[in-house]
Amino acid sequence: MLSTGLALAAALLAQDARNTNIPNTDTHFTMPEYKTLAEWEARKAHLRKQILSAAGLLPLPEKTPLNEQIFGRIEQKDYSIEKVLLETLPGYYLGGNLYRTRGRSGKFPGVASPHGHWNYGRLEHQPLGSIPARCQMLARQGHVVFAYDMVGYNDTIQTPHAFGGPAEQLWAFGPLGLQLWNSTRVVDFLQSLPEVDPERIAMTGASGGGTQTFLLSAVDDRVKWSAPVNMLSAIMQGGSPCENAPSLRLRAFNLEFGAMMAPRPLLMVSATGDWTKNTPREEFPAIRRIYELYGKPENVETIQIDAPHNYNQASREAVYRFFGKHILGERDEKKLAERGVRIEKLQDMLALHNRTLPAGALTYDGLFRQWKERAGRQSAAADLNALRERLSFALGAEWPAEVASEIKGEAVVLSRAGRGDRVAGLLAEGRGAPALVVHPDGAAAAKLSGAKRPVLAIDAFQTGSAAAPRDRSHRHFLTFNQSDDANRVQDILTALKFLSGKYPGRIDLTCTGKAAVWCLFAAAVAPVDLKLTADLGSFTGTDQNFIDQFFVPGIQRAGGLDAALKLTAGRR
């Protein structure tokens, strides 16, 4: 009887790694081994799209005029400072300060300078960290530097720094994406300045600014030199929402992101008193192995400062020397030492001191609405291949290279190679085209009695015998782990792969109740011949529908229901 088979399947299931191995920001990750450059380049291309998808930037938004406002010039002997407002999206403004070198001629390198979670943002000046000091010194040494805000800091005030609930997550609208987009536009701004050499762009920041540095360097090859400070770690991945967008680190972590800088020059600055304490022994050798694949091990360097979490003078001077050597061709350390730092009054640095945002500046709700509208237009204009790719990244879905299976009588257990997941089910053998049946209550509810062709019913993730405790308590759970609904889609794909390898012919995919939505999205991304039977009922693709019935971060940004229906038009 099928019920006996189901009990056997439950026994075979043991434990699903998705319920027992729950990575988070404090997991100690290990860098995978990449044996060839081709293997790494393929991984790098995938990670680039994963980062952009998590940030809500796949595809990148249209670049509209920055309408830069540059004013309030302060002149010193060998540098100047100006206030800046950039319109990085229509009606959305990024604030910052532009430090220019004076008394020199020619084209100068540009440096993007994001700050970390200091109390005073880009204006923080204290022994453990000073953004004005590093920008001033870099300008005096011969760079043009733009120090700019995190969202919710200083002059960039149209959103809080930490924001976003389930609706925003559906559209991948959050602080990480806005900051990554702002950084992209900062490079545009630096390249547009007449005195900047657009081919010589560098970037440096510490802590949260270090995260911004290695993320932009990972996805934007215009950054030619990178110095993330006290953030590239195997034991801590970032604590703020601006560093932890949902789906960002699915089967990935920061060292891989940092290694995407290769073979461009990278300086890894670490501290003995924070989560980069192991860098000389662990993180640096791991990233250096990637540089070795390019034959450029000399292009990655490291230095560790005996200090707590910081971007202090010793760390700053390490970056001055690195940029001096690689960008300016200057190796005289005396010329690159920090000296004579002058700190201006806060009111002389803030772009919105005694000013208001420009006319037409959006509210938070207006900005979110615009984000959705622009995303909707991009999805409507996309071809089917682009839609399939975007949905696949939002779901974190993969078509397995192989599926391990164990079959005892009617009971079957499936698992993707190397993933540790377990999909239990019931398999009725027969002749003819195979069928996959998915019921929201699991295989036992599928009622397969009397089947004359091969029919597989599965316990999709957390249904039937697969229901099990899953610790979702970590506040950045979705950064590292797929949602339950995304895992259900993956289990359907795993089952489809198993059937396609075992039985010839088109697969009938039949789903009932709320499982119909799971199957629709699985069918939308599955690279196999199938016919879908699934009644969506009241599911019309609204944000509330997705929140209540199929919660997957980024799914609306990727095209949502309309994209899935387009992709399955010939399969229903």
Side-chain angles (χ1 to χ4, degrees), residues 79-404:
Y79 69 97
S80 65
I81 310 173
E82 292 158 290
K83 305 177 183 183
V84 177
L85 280 178
L86 301 178
E87 192 173 6
T88 60
L89 290 167
Y92 178 65
Y93 293 89
L94 171 67
N97 294 110
L98 181 64
Y99 296 73
R100 306 190 207 228
T101 190
R102 294 190 69 210
R104 302 168 185 254
S105 60
K107 291 277 191 176
F108 305 102
V111 179
S113 179
H115 63 81
H117 293 93
W118 307 103
N119 288 338
Y120 296 100
R122 73 176 198 269
L123 303 179
E124 184 78 23
H125 176 67
Q126 49 120 328
L128 282 178
S130 173
I131 290 84
R134 79 168 182 249
C135 295
Q136 180 187 138
M137 293 308 303
L138 286 168
R140 293 167 67 182
Q141 291 162 14
H143 306 82
V144 175
V145 187
F146 186 54
Y148 58 100
D149 295 332
M150 285 182 165
V151 298
Y153 275 74
N154 298 130
D155 297 304
T156 307
I157 55 176
Q158 289 163 270
T159 73
H161 180 64
F163 66 88
E168 286 90 344
Q169 290 178 341
L170 291 174
W171 291 92
F173 176 67
L176 183 140
L178 276 183
Q179 289 185 174
L180 187 55
W181 179 246
N182 284 343
S183 294
T184 302
R185 301 312 315 268
V186 164
V187 176
D188 294 338
F189 170 61
L190 285 170
Q191 289 186 319
S192 75
L193 296 172
E195 71 270 36
V196 170
D197 180 350
E199 296 304 314
R200 291 195 293 163
I201 301 295
M203 190 170 183
T204 184
S207 193
T211 300
Q212 291 180 70
T213 298
F214 66 68
L215 286 179
L216 185 69
S217 301
V219 301
D220 195 331
D221 289 339
R222 296 178 299 171
V223 179
K224 297 298 195 297
W225 300 273
S226 180
V229 175
N230 291 3
M231 203 59 233
L232 277 176
S233 172
I235 60 175
M236 206 285 281
Q237 305 301 299
S240 169
C242 80
E243 302 171 278
N244 285 284
S247 304
L248 177 66
R249 298 188 189 90
L250 298 180
R251 299 181 291 275
F253 75 122
N254 285 351
L255 278 200
E256 289 186 287
F257 298 159
M260 292 169 70
M261 183 67 188
R264 295 163 288 162
L266 168 69
L267 175 64
M268 299 172 64
V269 182
S270 61
T272 57
D274 73 3
W275 45 83
T276 58
K277 61 186 179 182
N278 301 326
T279 294
R281 300 178 301 279
E282 182 174 354
E283 289 88 346
F284 173 68
I287 288 185
R288 192 174 189 273
R289 287 194 291 272
I290 301 299
Y291 277 78
E292 288 171 347
L293 294 175
Y294 292 94
K296 295 287 186 180
E298 71 278 7
N299 276 5
V300 59
E301 303 174 29
T302 190
I303 186 170
Q304 187 163 76
I305 307 301
D306 187 11
H309 192 60
N310 76 90
Y311 202 160
N312 63 15
Q313 182 174 340
S315 295
R316 295 194 296 272
E317 289 182 333
V319 174
Y320 304 156
R321 293 191 296 270
F322 177 76
F323 285 172
K325 178 177 69 173
H326 286 277
I327 306 175
L328 302 177
E330 178 60 73
R331 293 178 178 268
D332 187 342
E333 293 187 6
K334 292 182 180 179
K335 294 181 180 179
L336 300 171
E338 190 167 288
R339 64 192 184 279
V341 172
R342 175 189 172 96
I343 301 301
E344 308 294 341
K345 296 177 181 177
L346 296 182
Q347 60 265 34
D348 293 336
M349 300 288 282
L350 289 167
L352 294 181
H353 179 70
N354 282 336
R355 295 168 63 96
T356 60
L357 285 167
L362 297 173
T363 62
Y364 175 92
D365 290 341
L367 181 61
F368 185 26
R369 183 165 55 251
Q370 180 195 92
W371 183 274
K372 292 189 286 187
E373 290 170 352
R374 289 163 67 90
R377 290 194 295 271
Q378 286 185 317
S379 295
D383 63 28
L384 294 182
N385 288 333
L387 289 175
R388 184 175 294 107
E389 179 180 69
R390 294 172 200 174
L391 285 180
S392 294
F393 275 102
L395 291 160
E398 62 178 15
W399 185 247
E402 58 179 308
V403 175

Side-chain angles (χ1 to χ4, degrees), residues 423-447:
V423 185
L426 299 171
L427 178 63
E429 297 282 6
R431 295 184 178 182
L436 174 62
V437 179
V438 185
H439 191 283
D441 296 327
K447 299 179 180 178

